[in-house]
């Protein structure tokens, strides 16, 4: 039973990440700080995608790659806050999908960035244990944190 629910989490997360990558393709015209934060997000999405492929059996399990994914997300979540400064360009720049609530509820926004960092720390830690089940759980928690922030702070795709 437990295994089954894990599997479903993984599939959902994989679909979510598919969505991340797809949305990434639509914003090529962005510049400046908007482009910088999009690139930051895309890098995290790609790193997570590698782990998703392992969990789907599309590539061999490789603890080192899982650990590197953890590192990439730790580093990039640390800089998330500074990529959303409260400036005119940052709030109103072309092609941005960031909602005003990013700055109106900035504490909550930063808390989610911090939470992502913590989830990625766990992903990195379980990687060295080499237990696929633990990696699945940590992966699911990480991907869920991406989606939680997008649900509240990013414009819905039309
Ligand atoms: C603290 C909030 C937050 C977290 C956590 C977060 N994101 Fe984002 N993400 C955003 C916001 C806001 C935008 C829209 C930025 C913009 O368009 O200016 C965005 C945009 C994106 C985009 C679209 C980039 C583009 O080119 O349009 C991708 C892909 C993405 N995020 C992936 C991820 C992944 C993968 C994770 C988790 C590893 C993640 N995000 C975690 C807030 C977050």
């Amino acid at each position: 039973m437990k295994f089954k629910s894990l599997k479903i989490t993984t599939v959902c997360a994989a679909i979510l990440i598919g969505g991340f990558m797809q949305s990434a393709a639509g914003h090529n015209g962005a510049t400046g700080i908007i482009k910088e934060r999009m690139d930051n997000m895309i890098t995290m999405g790609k790193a997570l995608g590698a782990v998703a492929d392992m969990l789907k059996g599309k590539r061999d399990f490789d603890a080192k790659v899982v650990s590197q994914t953890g590192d990439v997300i730790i580093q990039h979540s640390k800089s998330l806050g500074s990529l959303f400064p409260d400036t005119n360009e940052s709030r109103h720049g072309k092609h941005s999908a960031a909602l005003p609530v990013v700055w109106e509820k900035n504490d909550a926004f930063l808390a989610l960035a911090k939470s992502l960092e913590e989830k990625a720390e766990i992903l990195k830690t379980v990687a060295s244990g080499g237990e696929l089940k633990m990696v699945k759980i940590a992966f699911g928690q990480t991907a869920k944190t991406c989606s939680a922030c997008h649900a509240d702070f990013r414009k819905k795709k039309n």
Side-chain angles (χ1 to χ4, degrees):
M1 278 312 280
K2 204 158 175 213
F3 180 72
K4 204 170 170 195
S5 67
L6 282 175
K7 220 172 156 182
I8 291 167
T9 309
T10 309
V11 171
C12 291
I15 292 167
L16 283 171
I17 288 167
F20 294 152
M21 301 319 292
Q22 224 178 9
S23 74
H27 296 286
N28 288 334
T31 55
I33 192 78
I34 313 285
K35 176 159 191 335
E36 253 183 78
R37 67 195 182 208
M38 284 174 173
D39 288 347
N40 178 299
M41 298 277 174
I42 290 166
T43 303
M44 293 197 291
K46 280 190 184 149
L48 261 191
V51 180
D53 282 351
M54 280 177 213
L55 298 177
K56 284 187 282 185
K58 279 197 189 170
R59 64 184 279 180
D60 290 341
F61 180 77
D62 183 341
K64 206 170 152 214
V65 173
V66 178
S67 171
Q68 281 164 353
T69 292
D71 274 332
V72 167
I73 297 176
I74 291 164
Q75 281 162 21
H76 287 75
S77 56
K78 277 189 205 292
S79 46
L80 263 191
S82 64
L83 292 173
F84 289 85
D86 192 356
T87 62
N88 193 48
E89 184 201 4
S90 174
R91 278 187 180 238
H92 305 291
K94 253 204 215 166
H95 304 290
S96 176
L99 291 171
V101 69
V102 168
W103 297 278
E104 288 157 7
K105 294 192 179 161
N106 199 245
D107 286 353
F109 182 78
L110 295 178
L112 273 167
K114 186 72 196 164
S115 169
L116 180 61
E117 185 186 331
E118 288 162 6
K119 300 289 165 32
E121 288 277 6
I122 296 172
L123 183 64
K124 192 183 160 173
T125 305
V126 300
S128 57
E131 241 193 283
L132 196 61
K133 195 176 91 176
M134 298 305 287
V135 171
K136 270 184 186 169
I137 295 171
F139 169 88
Q141 294 292 321
T142 306
K144 247 198 246 171
T145 311
C146 312
S147 311
C149 191
H150 295 158
D152 288 343
F153 295 97
R154 188 174 70 164
K155 279 179 206 159
K156 307 278 168 289
K157 278 163 257 156
N158 347 280

